[in-house]
Amino acid sequence: MAIKVRTVERAGSTLMERLYLPEIIKGMGITLRHFLRNLHDSKNIIVRDYPEQKVEIPPRWRGRHRLTTREDGSIKCVACFMCATNCPAKCIFIEATEREDGVTEKMPARFDIDLLECIYCGFCVEACPVDAIRMDTGIFSVVTDNRADMVVTKEQLMQTPGMPGCEPTKEEN
Ligand code: SF4
Ligand code: SF4
């Protein structure tokens, strides 16, 4: 069976297009048309006064990570390295230490996530066998003026609460 092939002409090769100016005027004409249309029908323009007016984040949306805690406030993570092993960006750094309260064998002494490397895929959350890491914080904007601040530490991850309605239930604890 013959496959139909549609050849699309490459834009930008004619003399008029290469002159740029007519294309710029054309582009400004489109902008002006939209501007006038919106001016005439301003009711339909959706404006959000961000950051004063926050966006609604659905509960399943993957935001900045957090580490969950037990009811006694201790870290849930058992330093099994499953998240770090599954992380495609290799941006989770864990150092395990012995846990001496008899709850589990190990816990992380250090648990850092380099957010500059993270691709927010959620594999770490999926890989965790004890629901110790979540991305339900609703934090979508992490900004700073230096690279070092983009590495979030265990303490920062533990202090971050989940969005309302995303806290683990008693059974999950
Ligand atoms: S969201 Fe993906 S890239 Fe980011 S830390 Fe988790 S596994 Fe790694
Ligand atoms: S967060 Fe979960 S998967 Fe990662 S080391 Fe801790 S217990 Fe293991």
Side-chain angles (χ1 to χ4, degrees):
M1 191 180 75
I3 300 169
K4 274 192 184 170
V5 177
R6 186 171 155 242
T7 309
V8 179
E9 282 301 319
R10 194 183 182 89
S13 53
T14 64
L15 181 63
M16 280 296 274
E17 284 165 341
R18 283 200 212 164
L19 285 174
Y20 289 114
L21 205 56
E23 292 301 305
I24 290 172
I25 294 167
K26 221 155 82 181
M28 289 177 82
I30 294 170
T31 307
L32 187 69
R33 196 176 72 220
H34 283 278
F35 172 73
L36 292 174
R37 194 179 63 192
N38 290 338
L39 204 65
H40 176 68
D41 193 11
S42 58
K43 282 198 305 294
N44 294 326
I45 305 175
I46 299 167
V47 177
R48 189 184 291 275
D49 295 323
Y50 180 82
E52 289 78 19
Q53 194 184 349
K54 301 283 182 230
V55 289
E56 297 84 27
I57 305 290
R60 294 186 64 189
W61 191 84
R62 291 195 292 269
R64 207 267 266 151
H65 317 65
R66 69 176 172 122
L67 286 172
T68 57
T69 53
R70 297 172 196 277
E71 277 187 349
D72 62 4
S74 64
I75 193 163
K76 240 181 176 182
C77 175
V78 293
C80 68
F81 288 76
M82 291 283 274
C83 53
T85 308
N86 278 281
C87 175
K90 300 287 171 236
C91 62
I92 302 178
F93 308 95
I94 304 169
E95 275 173 28
T97 186
E98 198 176 343
R99 187 167 176 145
E100 290 171 343
D101 58 6
V103 181
T104 46
E105 196 182 316
K106 291 189 297 173
M107 65 177 190
R110 174 190 169 209
F111 194 117
D112 296 344
I113 301 178
D114 187 345
L115 296 178
L116 283 177
E117 302 278 348
C118 176
I119 54 169
Y120 290 80
C121 64
F123 283 7
C124 49
V125 178
E126 298 296 327
C128 182
V130 293
D131 189 27
I133 184 164
R134 289 185 168 208
M135 297 178 78
D136 58 1
T137 56
I139 300 172
F140 57 85
S141 171
V142 186
V143 284
T144 178
D145 58 3
N146 66 85
R147 283 174 166 263
D149 285 354
M150 291 303 280
V151 179
V152 278
T153 62
K154 181 181 90 173
E155 290 70 29
Q156 289 170 310
L157 291 164
M158 284 177 72
Q159 280 160 12
T160 313
M163 282 191 297
C166 291
E167 288 303 326
T169 59
K170 282 229 163 20
E171 292 78 51
E172 285 175 311
N173 270 313

